[in-house]
Amino acid sequence: MASDEEPARDVDFSDTKKDGVREKISSVSDISDGPTKDLFFLPIPAHLRHYPDRPPLFSVWMNIWIGVAASFLISNLYYSQPLLIQMADAFNVSYESVSNIPTLIQAGYAIGIFFICPLGDLVRRRQLILLLVFSTASLTIGLAVTNNLVVFQILNFLIGLGNMSPQILAPLAADLAGPEHRGFAYSIVLTGMLTGTLMARVLAGVMGEFLSWRVIYYLAIGAQYAIVLMCYWVLPDYPCKNKSLSYRTVLWSMVKYAVTEPLVVQVELMSIATSACFSSYWVTLTFLLGGPPYNYSTLLIGLFGLLGLAGIAMGPFAGRLLDHIPPWHGILVSTILLLVFQAVQTAAAGINISAVIIACIGLDAVRQIQNVSIATNIFSVDIQAISRLNSLYVLAFYGGQLMGTSVGTKVFVEHGWRACAALGMAWYGAQIVIILLRGPNCKRRTWFGYEGGLGMKKV
């Protein structure tokens, strides 16, 4: 779709043995086209430096490692959620006083998405990732030791603000993999992030039940410093993407992308709607299962979250599939399937538990296909702006999450489970209308229509 694509990188995902090994630097005359030190004082290992004629290769194993790192790093945002009661007791305050802790860390994260993530298009990403992970690891020490609630709240906000590494690693993987493997590479990192989200809540809940709640933060400190070391020894150095741009220009260009690019606007609207559906479903599912006719316990309701593993497992398969078809078709097909599973929820979720299970597994699994399709679609606009485009995608996702949580809860409380499920169907229907407004082969500046037809051949 975009004419700005970089030439495909020298990547061979079919032979991971070769990819993981870079040729030895044969001569001292080889000159790196970038710094030889990280953060001005740490020497970059020679095999990870960027040489113009022999750039470090991107392999499946590096892709998996980035996914694992993203999994542990994204967990920082969710450790506090199951521990609020224990935190209230530890700080000797009311539940209301600690209830804003998850909000503060998410608020910091949203601000960081706008102001820090775009730096991935401006500076060398290896150095940026090292600095960010080291910073959040050091701030987490404060969470583990402080006895002051205000300090704890401020540190949570700062950690949310600095915890941008997963959102820099995801577009980095998609960028380095090249257009022919972009969907698969992104899906690996997305799978890692979704696993981290689930893992964080489970680990924190278990440890809070049997140990001090501070133990999870000590583990987080160790995990983050370990990732810093792994990044230092494993993550190759690549040149910055836009040497001629200033930080101000990067932010302004991101705002322009958000409102002047037809495909970006289409993706933003899709992201808001699908995120609203997802958050509304999971928030109100607790109310549905906890009330009549089911009256399930909190533990049993929590186990339904494990059904989300089906969706997580679908991620890499979805990515591999979407490397062979245009993302527009992936979005359309997955959205239609989401509408079908939401219809099952609307028809019988409050009547028979089997409908809830079918809808839960189906919605989670198909949503991964939709997520990867949407991300691959927006990245195609301009590979030189991949971090800015990812920021817009994530910000739209967060906006939809807020809308889905508030509106979905209100509809459920006032009108019941079926009206809430029907609202989800309406949102999925709106997504189908949005994607059909603009065909898969339109030129970059075309807002509406089907120029180029509906062909599924990926170019």
Side-chain angles (χ1 to χ4, degrees):
M1 285 223 230
S3 57
D4 308 354
E5 285 274 339
E6 289 181 333
R9 297 179 184 273
D10 183 15
V11 182
D12 179 8
F13 274 61
S14 64
D15 189 350
T16 57
K17 201 170 197 180
K18 258 186 224 177
D19 285 343
V21 181
R22 186 180 181 276
E23 288 180 18
K24 283 188 176 180
I25 298 169
S26 57
S27 167
V28 292
S29 64
D30 289 328
I31 300 175
S32 170
D33 67 343
T36 58
K37 292 186 178 180
D38 285 322
L39 309 176
F40 304 107
F41 72 98
L42 285 172
I44 301 174
H47 68 286
L48 298 176
R49 297 174 189 171
H50 190 275
Y51 294 84
D53 57 333
R54 287 169 294 152
L57 296 178
F58 182 74
S59 69
V60 170
W61 293 114
M62 186 180 295
N63 197 171
I64 292 172
W65 177 83
I66 288 175
V68 171
S71 176
F72 282 98
L73 294 170
I74 202 72
S75 298
N76 290 331
L77 303 175
Y78 302 100
Y79 289 134
S80 64
Q81 292 181 5
L83 300 173
L84 295 178
I85 294 175
Q86 292 90 331
M87 288 176 179
D89 293 339
F91 291 113
N92 195 26
V93 296
S94 66
Y95 294 163
E96 184 179 1
S97 299
V98 296
S99 64
N100 65 352
I101 291 173
T103 304
L104 284 169
I105 198 166
Q106 294 293 338
Y109 190 67
I111 294 171
I113 289 292
F114 186 86
F115 288 103
I116 296 178
C117 273
L119 288 172
D121 290 334
L122 189 63
V123 302
R124 299 178 84 93
R125 287 168 284 189
R126 172 185 161 93
Q127 284 79 14
L128 179 61
I129 290 167
L130 285 171
L131 179 61
L132 289 173
V133 181
F134 181 81
S135 298
T136 55
S138 301
L139 289 169
T140 306
I141 295 174
L143 295 183
V145 302
T146 185
N147 291 312
N148 186 299
L149 178 61
V150 174
V151 172
F152 191 85
Q153 292 169 327
I154 292 172
L155 288 173
N156 269 281
F157 175 80
L158 294 176
I159 287 172
L161 183 66
N163 200 56
M164 294 298 105
S165 301
Q167 296 300 343
I168 294 171
L169 287 167
L172 172 64
D175 182 10
L176 299 179
E180 67 278 11
H181 299 296
R182 188 159 291 148
F184 180 66
Y186 181 82
S187 70
I188 292 292
V189 186
L190 177 63
T191 298
M193 289 194 285
L194 293 171
T195 303
T197 302
L198 177 63
M199 178 181 67
R201 294 188 177 108
V202 173
L203 281 178
V206 171
M207 291 187 176
E209 182 70 23
F210 298 104
L211 302 168
S212 167
W213 62 268
R214 296 182 188 270
V215 172
I216 192 66
Y217 288 110
Y218 284 114
L219 288 178
I221 294 165
Q224 289 176 89
Y225 280 129
I227 290 171
V228 171
L229 291 175
M230 288 296 292
C231 283
Y232 179 78
W233 288 111
V234 175
L235 190 63
D237 188 34
Y238 295 96
C240 53
K241 298 178 68 64
N242 300 280
K243 294 181 180 179
S244 61
L245 298 182
S246 66
Y247 177 62
R248 180 179 178 181
T249 304
V250 165
L251 291 182
W252 175 241
S253 67
M254 185 169 73
V255 174
K256 287 175 64 178
Y257 276 120
V259 296
T260 63
E261 290 280 350
L263 179 55
V264 174
V265 173
Q266 188 181 39
V267 165
E268 288 169 338
L269 294 174
M270 289 284 299
S271 299
I272 290 171
T274 192
S275 177
C277 292
F278 184 75
S279 59
S280 173
Y281 174 81
W282 280 103
V283 169
T284 59
L285 182 64
T286 300
F287 304 145
L288 173 65
L289 297 178
Y294 303 117
N295 299 309
Y296 288 164
S297 67
T298 302
L299 175 62
L300 198 55
I301 294 172
L303 292 177
F304 270 78
L306 296 178
L307 295 175
L309 291 172
I312 293 173
M314 272 295 294
F317 297 102
R320 183 63 78 186
L321 171 67
L322 294 167
D323 282 331
H324 296 89
I325 63 172
W328 185 93
H329 295 86
I331 295 173
L332 179 60
V333 172
S334 60
T335 307
I336 292 172
L337 289 174
L338 287 168
L339 179 60
V340 170
F341 284 112
Q342 187 70 24
V344 173
Q345 178 81 0
T346 305
I351 300 171
N352 193 296
I353 194 61
S354 62
V356 178
I357 295 172
I358 291 170
C360 186
I361 294 175
L363 290 171
D364 259 16
V366 178
R367 186 170 177 268
Q368 299 318 307
I369 301 175
Q370 190 195 52
N371 279 342
V372 177
S373 301
I374 289 174
T376 305
N377 211 20
I378 196 172
F379 291 161
S380 71
V381 172
D382 185 355
I383 198 64
Q384 297 299 321
I386 192 168
S387 290
R388 283 165 282 174
L389 295 170
N390 185 66
S391 295
L392 292 174
Y393 169 49
V394 176
L395 285 171
F397 178 89
Y398 265 79
Q401 196 171 57
L402 291 173
M403 181 176 77
T405 300
S406 58
V407 176
T409 300
K410 183 176 179 63
V411 170
F412 186 98
V413 170
E414 294 183 2
H415 303 287
W417 64 269
R418 181 164 277 143
C420 184
L423 174 64
M425 287 187 67
W427 279 335
Y428 283 124
Q431 292 172 61
I432 294 174
V433 172
I434 292 168
I435 195 64
L436 289 176
L437 290 175
R438 187 176 186 276
N441 300 308
C442 289
K443 292 180 181 177
R444 179 170 169 178
R445 301 299 180 186
T446 300
W447 284 91
F448 304 104
Y450 285 84
E451 61 183 357
L454 289 169
M456 290 188 66
K457 185 177 179 180
K458 191 168 185 180
V459 295

